[in-house]
Amino acid sequence: MTVAFALHDLTLGYDRHPAVHHLTGSFATGSLTAVVGPNGSGKSTLLKGLVGRLAPLDGRVERNGLRQSDIAYLPQQAGIDRSFPISVMDTVLLGCWRTIGLFRRVRRVQRRQAEEALMAVGLDGFGQRPIATLSAGQFQRVLFARMLLQDCPVILLDEPFTAIDAKTSADLLRVVMGWHGEGRTIVSVLHDLDQVRENFPDTLLIAREPVAWGATAEALRPAHLLKVRQMSEQWDDRAEVCRRGVA
Amino acid sequence: MDAHAALIQPFVEFGFMRRALVACLALSLGGAPVGVLLVLRRMSLVGDALSHAILPGAAIGFMVAGLSLAAMSLGGFIAGLVVAVLSGFVARVTPQREDASFAAFYLVSLATGVLIVSAHGSNVDLMHVLFGTTLAVDDAALLLVVSVATLTLFTLAIIGRGLIVECFDPGFLRAVGGPGAVVHFVFLTLVVVNLVAGFHALGTLMAVGLMMLPAAAARFWAGEVATLVAVSSAVAFACGYAGLLLSYHADLPSGPAIILVAGGVYMASLVVGPHGGLWARFIPRRHLEA
C-alpha cells in the first residue's frame, strides 16, 4: 500500500496553542477519508497542515513526492472575491493553470474540458454568466468544476457541503465518488454523519486529539462519539509547555 | 466662437497644449488599467497613500538638484517604492491587512518629507510637486510619461492573467504555485511609476485622480475586466481633453480642471450607469419572465 500523506506525531496550531495535537497515521493513496469532529476540533487546521499552508508546531507531514500543484485544496472560506467581474467559464478554466500558466493560450481542448466539467456539476450553459450572479450553491459547483480541470491526484475538501442544499450536495458528492473511482486520494471534512457512513470508507474522528482513525463503522462507534462530545473547547492562556514525546 | 475654434484651435495654435494633450493620452493608457486593478483589489485608497509617499522623495530630489525632472522622479520613485514594498511585505507575511500597513508607512514617509522640507527652509517650490503644471510639460517630461505608459502596457500584458487571479482568488494562485508575490510587487511598482509619471503633469495629489476616477466611473458601465479597462482609458483621455480646454478657456489651473471633469463623469456614471447606477435602482423596469 502506498501512502499519500504520512503524519508523524504532528502538532499543528496557532500561537503555540495546539489545534491538532500529536497526530500519527497515514492517508493511503486512493483512500477516501472523512474527517469528523466538533467545531474547533482542528479539522480545518489539519487540512491546512496537509496542504502545507500551516507549518507544524511539532512533528512532520511527509508528502511522499507530492508537489504543491498535485494537491487540489478547497478551503472552507476561500478568500474569493465573488463580486469580481469574471465569467464562470474563465473561473473554471483557471483549473488548467498547470498547463496554461501565466502566458500560454487556452486551447479549444481545454475549453471543451471546461464545458464538460460544467456539465458534470450541473451548470450546463452557465459559462458566460458573471460569477456575481450565482448563488452560494451554484458557486460551489463552479469551484468543483475548476477542481475537475485541475485533475489532481490528491483532493482536500473543507466542509464542501455546508450551507448547500440537498440536491447540490448530492450532485457534488457524486463528483467526489467519481474521483474516488478514478483512484484519487480524497480527504474531506464533513459534518453529516449519515452521509459519512454511507459514502466514506475511512474516517478520522478528531477532537483536537485524535480519537479514532480507521474504517468508518469502527471509528464512529457511540463510545468514540461520546468521547468527542466531552472535548474541552477552551483555549487555556496559562497552558503549560507540552512535555509529551520529550525525553 | 465656432466649434473648431473652441475645441481644436487651442491645440493647433499652442505647442504646450499639444504636449499636454499627448501627456494626458499617455497617462490615460497607462494609468487607467492600473486604476481598474486597484479598484478591483479594493485598494482604491492605496493610490492616494502612495501619492503622498512619493512627495518627500520628490521634495528631496528638488532640494538636491533643483527643478530637475530626473532627480525629482528618481526621489519620488524610490520613496514610493520603499513604502509600497514595505507595506506589501507586511500584508503578505503578517495578519495585518494592506490598508493598515499602507497607512502606517505612507504617514511615516510623509512626515519624514515634511520634516526635511521644514528643516531646510521653505524656499522649496512645493506647489509644483503638489499640484503640477500640465501646461508646462516639456519634452523630457513628455518622454518620461510616454515611456512609463509603454512600460506599463507591456508589463500588464505579461503579468495580466496572474494579476487578475491574484485579485480574484489569491489562495488559488498560491495553491497552484502561481507567482502571486512577484505579480503583487510588480503591480505595486507599476502604481508607483505611474504616479511618478503623473506628478509632473498633474502634481502628486492630482495624478492619482486621473488613475482612480475613470476606473471608479467605469465600474458603472462595464462588467468585465477588459471592457472596464477600455472604458476607463477612454474616459480618462476624454477628461484630459475636456479638462485642458476648460483650463484654457476659463483660465484655470489644468490639473484640478482635468480631475474635476473626471469627477463630473464619475457623478454622472453613478446616476445613469447601467451596472448598479442609481437610475436603475430607483426607476426599476418590469421584471423578466425568467
Side-chain angles (χ1 to χ4, degrees), chain B residues 55-242:
Chain B
L55 175 67
I60 293 171
F62 181 90
M63 284 188 319
V64 171
L67 199 58
S68 144
L69 176 81
M72 287 169 64
S73 303
L74 190 66
F77 177 68
I78 291 171
L81 199 63
V82 166
V83 168
V85 167
L86 285 176
S87 313
F89 175 75
V90 167
R92 288 197 87 87
V93 303
T94 76
Q96 182 149 67
R97 284 176 189 278
E98 208 155 28
D99 58 338
S101 62
F102 263 101
F105 285 112
Y106 101 77
L107 286 166
V108 170
S109 176
L110 187 59
T112 310
V114 170
L115 195 75
I116 294 170
V117 168
S118 52
H120 287 74
S122 56
N123 58 342
V124 175
D125 186 12
L126 270 180
M127 287 303 277
H128 173 82
V129 181
L130 281 171
F131 301 116
T133 40
T134 319
L135 300 182
V137 175
D138 59 13
D139 287 347
L142 192 58
L143 197 62
L144 175 76
V145 172
V146 172
S147 308
V148 164
T150 310
L151 174 80
T152 303
L153 290 176
F154 270 108
T155 310
L156 285 177
I158 293 169
I159 65 167
R161 185 185 283 162
L163 192 53
I164 286 170
V165 182
E166 164 75 11
C167 292
F168 163 58
D169 189 354
F172 177 79
L173 192 61
R174 200 163 15 145
V176 295
V182 174
V183 160
H184 183 184
F185 286 112
V186 169
F187 176 66
L188 288 177
T189 309
L190 280 186
V191 178
V192 173
V193 294
N194 273 281
L195 290 172
V196 169
F199 91 69
H200 290 287
L202 300 163
T204 56
L205 300 184
M206 296 292 120
V208 71
L210 200 57
M211 191 183 277
M212 301 316 301
L213 278 168
R219 202 74 178 83
F220 291 106
W221 295 100
E224 279 170 62
V225 178
T227 41
L228 280 170
V229 168
V231 170
S232 180
S233 287
V235 166
F237 182 57
C239 294
Y241 171 73

Side-chain angles (χ1 to χ4, degrees), chain A residues 37-60:
Chain A
N39 289 326
S41 61
K43 306 181 298 293
S44 300
T45 308
L46 175 62
L47 291 200
K48 283 183 206 161
L50 290 180
V51 80
R53 199 161 283 193
L54 189 65
L57 296 179
D58 214 341
R60 63 200 170 86

Side-chain angles (χ1 to χ4, degrees), chain A residues 18-21 35-46 159 189 191 204-211 228 231-233:
Chain A
V20 173
H21 210 180
V35 179
V36 177
N39 289 326
S41 61
K43 306 181 298 293
S44 300
T45 308
L46 175 62
E159 302 201 18
V189 172
H191 277 297
L204 165 60
L205 185 62
I206 189 171
R208 213 170 305 157
E209 311 269 346
V211 174
V228 161
M231 180 197 85
S232 145
E233 288 210 14

Side-chain angles (χ1 to χ4, degrees), chain A residues 82 126 129 131-141 165 168:
Chain A
R82 278 183 52 196
F126 274 64
R129 289 264 296 265
I131 58 158
T133 63
L134 302 183
S135 72
Q138 287 168 334
F139 189 67
Q140 193 76 341
R141 289 173 188 256
D165 69 76
T168 303

Side-chain angles (χ1 to χ4, degrees), chain A residues 7-178:
Chain A
L7 317 182
H8 302 280
D9 196 28
L10 178 69
T11 295
L12 296 161
Y14 310 91
D15 243 353
R16 296 177 64 207
H17 292 273
V20 173
H21 210 180
H22 297 290
L23 181 61
T24 297
S26 59
F27 296 94
T29 303
S31 62
L32 174 58
T33 311
V35 179
V36 177
N39 289 326
S41 61
K43 306 181 298 293
S44 300
T45 308
L46 175 62
L47 291 200
K48 283 183 206 161
L50 290 180
V51 80
R53 199 161 283 193
L54 189 65
L57 296 179
D58 214 341
R60 63 200 170 86
V61 181
E62 210 178 301
R63 289 194 188 78
N64 263 333
L66 284 174
R67 285 165 305 161
Q68 177 92 48
S69 57
D70 290 331
I71 306 172
Y73 168 54
L74 181 70
Q76 190 182 358
Q77 272 149 359
I80 296 180
D81 178 3
R82 278 183 52 196
S83 67
F84 197 89
I86 187 172
S87 70
V88 166
M89 179 53 99
D90 285 347
T91 308
V92 173
L93 280 170
L94 289 178
C96 42
W97 183 274
R98 253 198 302 183
T99 334
I100 59 172
L102 267 182
F103 309 116
R104 275 181 293 277
R105 200 157 58 90
V106 174
R107 300 188 173 279
R108 197 172 301 157
V109 190
Q110 283 141 354
R111 239 167 238 293
R112 200 165 44 236
Q113 283 172 343
E115 271 158 21
E116 281 164 13
L118 279 174
M119 214 176 302
V121 298
L123 287 182
D124 198 10
F126 274 64
Q128 294 319 309
R129 289 264 296 265
I131 58 158
T133 63
L134 302 183
S135 72
Q138 287 168 334
F139 189 67
Q140 193 76 341
R141 289 173 188 256
V142 171
L143 294 182
F144 266 74
R146 184 169 75 175
M147 283 194 287
L148 278 166
L149 253 70
Q150 267 182 281
D151 194 22
C152 288
V154 176
I155 296 163
L156 308 179
L157 309 169
D158 196 350
E159 302 201 18
F161 311 132
T162 300
I164 277 173
D165 69 76
K167 168 95 168 53
T168 303
S169 127
D171 286 354
L172 295 182
L173 183 62
R174 206 156 35 239
V175 174
V176 174
M177 299 321 282

